[in-house]
Amino acid sequence: MARAAPVTPPTRLPAAGERSGAALARLQLMVTRKLDGLLQGDYAGLLPGPGSEAGESREYRPGDDVRRMDWPVTARTTMPHVRRTVADRELETWLAVDLSASLDFGTGRWLKRDVAVAAVAALAHLTVRGGNRIGAVVGTGATTGEPGTLLRLPARGGRKEAQGLLRAVAGTEIRPGRSDLGALVDALNRPPRRRGVAVVISDFLSPPAQWGRPLRKLRVRHDVLAVEVVDPRELELPDVGVLPVVDPETGELHEVQTADPGLRRRYAEAAAAQRGAIAAEMRAAGAAHLRLRTDRDWLLDMVRFVAAQRHARTRGTTR
């Protein structure tokens, strides 16, 4: 499915190179106030990871990880039981941030890139809030004959280090061309790291066959969260007559007659099929899935997601 963007850009936040320290500070303050205000209570990780220390046993529930079956208790009681584990407190969170050209697009309140950077700010806050370390790999597009750029930011703890990571991500220049999302995800597998949380932030418009296998490989060792950034125009077309659109990754220009109801219907069906394939690949990889939209309150959606993960942990499920 083509990645089309209107020729006339929407009203948006300042570009990466134009973002001031004050703007990022306001973003961090907003994230801190809302997350701390709505996620009160004891420390809770971003994902209800299984941890490594053994805890109590309880009866098996649908959705539990079968790898945590407590066979001695199951044999003794004749009822399936799983072993609960105590979550690790000092973990590393690694982000794979996709800043390919398709992220430089948006028709809602934000550009997709803005939502991706904001998600980094929220994830960094949630990580360092628990005393953990956070690092990132940031990928941009690749032009013909040239590989995409890959920026590695080592995992560090502390608020100042998290602020430095956010500034580095926000200041990364988007390059034209298609990025290799599979290679970006695989960068979290090399070198091998201790068990932790891995987060992939992208619009996932690359073919699922490209990034599905690296995501499954990542899930073998880490708890994985896939943050999918979506714009409403990628889901359906409005009836606005002839609409000039440009593919941000190839520069190809097209004119689309959006007054045609058949075209709008086929576009919506193709978009739904594409998003369904993306979601199916994430489920197959065992990754938690969070969708953030440019026309919604992304921070509220993230709070709801974290709260749901906390509820899942109290019920003993992992997803």
Side-chain angles (χ1 to χ4, degrees), residues 88-93 127 131-134 194-197:
D88 294 322
R89 291 297 297 270
E90 294 185 2
L91 296 175
E92 284 186 354
T93 295
T127 299
N132 297 324
R133 297 180 296 276
I134 187 168
R194 58 175 294 188
R195 182 177 177 84
V197 177

Side-chain angles (χ1 to χ4, degrees), residues 36-260:
D36 285 348
L38 296 178
L39 296 175
Q40 296 290 350
D42 294 335
Y43 165 74
L46 177 64
L47 294 176
S52 58
E53 297 182 18
E56 298 178 351
S57 291
R58 60 161 178 78
E59 288 189 12
Y60 172 87
R61 298 192 186 105
D64 288 339
D65 191 341
V66 296
R67 292 174 297 181
R68 292 163 47 209
M69 292 293 297
D70 190 335
W71 296 113
V73 175
T74 297
R76 186 168 62 250
T77 63
T78 70
M79 294 290 292
H81 277 68
V82 292
R83 173 72 67 176
R84 302 182 69 175
T85 51
V86 180
D88 294 322
R89 291 297 297 270
E90 294 185 2
L91 296 175
E92 284 186 354
T93 295
W94 277 90
L95 311 179
V97 186
D98 175 19
L99 293 182
S100 57
S102 63
L103 271 291
D104 202 15
F105 166 61
T107 61
R109 298 168 55 191
W110 315 80
L111 289 184
K112 290 196 294 181
R113 179 198 174 103
D114 295 326
V115 175
V117 171
V120 171
L123 293 166
H125 173 72
L126 288 171
T127 299
V128 300
R129 178 175 177 247
N132 297 324
R133 297 180 296 276
I134 187 168
V137 291
V138 186
T140 62
T143 56
T144 304
E146 296 183 10
T149 60
L150 187 67
L151 172 66
R152 290 183 179 269
L153 303 170
R156 295 192 175 98
R159 294 187 180 277
K160 289 185 178 180
E161 287 72 13
Q163 291 170 358
L165 181 144
L166 177 61
R167 286 194 299 269
V169 173
T172 300
E173 180 182 358
I174 287 184
R175 299 177 60 191
R178 300 182 186 275
S179 63
D180 188 341
L181 182 57
L184 178 63
V185 174
D186 208 36
L188 295 184
N189 288 313
R190 301 189 307 270
R193 300 180 175 91
R194 58 175 294 188
R195 182 177 177 84
V197 177
V199 183
V200 182
I201 304 174
S202 174
D203 54 13
F204 291 93
L205 290 179
S206 300
Q210 182 191 93
W211 49 265
R213 184 173 181 178
L215 198 66
R216 289 192 293 273
K217 181 180 178 183
L218 191 64
R219 179 65 181 89
V220 170
R221 190 172 181 85
H222 305 282
D223 296 308
V224 178
L225 169 62
V227 179
E228 180 188 11
V229 183
V230 180
D231 186 84
R233 294 290 76 80
E234 294 172 335
L235 304 177
E236 59 182 5
L237 286 176
D239 183 359
V240 292
V242 177
L243 178 67
V245 296
V246 61
D247 187 325
E249 295 191 345
T250 65
E252 295 182 1
L253 179 66
H254 304 276
E255 288 188 350
V256 179
Q257 178 52 268
T258 61
D260 181 356

Side-chain angles (χ1 to χ4, degrees), residues 257-310:
Q257 178 52 268
T258 61
D260 181 356
L263 182 143
R264 295 200 307 274
R265 185 189 69 254
R266 293 191 299 273
Y267 182 92
E269 291 173 351
Q274 181 188 44
R275 295 297 166 179
I278 292 171
E281 193 67 35
M282 291 175 182
R283 287 194 300 271
H289 182 193
L290 170 61
R291 177 178 289 181
L292 301 179
R293 292 177 51 130
T294 62
D295 60 341
R296 288 173 54 96
D297 185 340
W298 56 267
L299 189 51
L300 181 58
D301 288 339
M302 181 166 284
V303 167
R304 288 171 174 164
F305 173 83
V306 175
Q309 294 294 309
R310 176 183 292 183

Side-chain angles (χ1 to χ4, degrees), residues 11-32:
T11 303
R12 52 153 298 179
L13 297 180
E18 301 167 357
R19 287 194 179 95
S20 65
L24 289 178
R26 287 195 298 272
L27 172 63
Q28 289 179 300
L29 180 61
M30 177 180 66
V31 166
T32 300

